[in-house]
Amino acid sequence: MKTVDDLCVLIEENLNDADRLASEGIAADTPLLVSGLLDSLTIMRIVAQVEQRTGITFPQNSVVAANFRTPLLLWNAIADIRAGAGQCQGEPA
């Protein structure tokens, strides 16, 4: 996974698998939580797949709602983890 667009495809695949189709597709600024597209199970599946595809391990304090509001925010969290910074923002997802 090299771009936020790759992440959008991964998220869309998970939504399709969970029968939560996004009518207009997933873009970097698609609201994921406010729209109700993501539930906790889907978030955990996305985390597992991101870890598998990127080789990173999400610190538990990075699996928070603030990082799952949009694909771009999740991409930024992934970049922070890759940089070794990790982060803790907002309440748990």
Side-chain angles (χ1 to χ4, degrees):
M1 181 178 322
K2 295 183 179 180
T3 68
V4 69
D5 291 332
D6 296 338
L7 178 61
C8 290
V9 170
L10 183 147
I11 292 169
E12 196 164 320
E13 289 170 356
N14 276 277
L15 293 175
N16 289 339
D17 289 347
D19 291 328
R20 293 175 174 253
L21 301 174
S23 60
E24 298 177 13
I26 300 297
D29 62 348
T30 299
L32 298 172
L33 294 179
V34 173
S35 64
L37 288 171
L38 293 184
D39 60 18
S40 58
L41 180 60
T42 306
I43 288 172
M44 296 315 297
R45 288 187 356 213
I46 290 169
V47 167
Q49 291 177 9
V50 167
E51 288 179 337
Q52 183 180 29
R53 293 182 188 188
T54 63
I56 66 170
T57 299
F58 266 85
Q60 190 142 9
N61 64 1
S62 291
V63 185
V64 294
N67 289 337
F68 290 86
R69 289 188 178 132
T70 67
L72 182 58
L73 289 172
L74 181 56
W75 184 252
N76 291 340
I78 292 167
D80 287 345
I81 294 167
R82 283 178 165 162
Q87 63 181 1
C88 181
Q89 300 175 358
E91 68 266 16

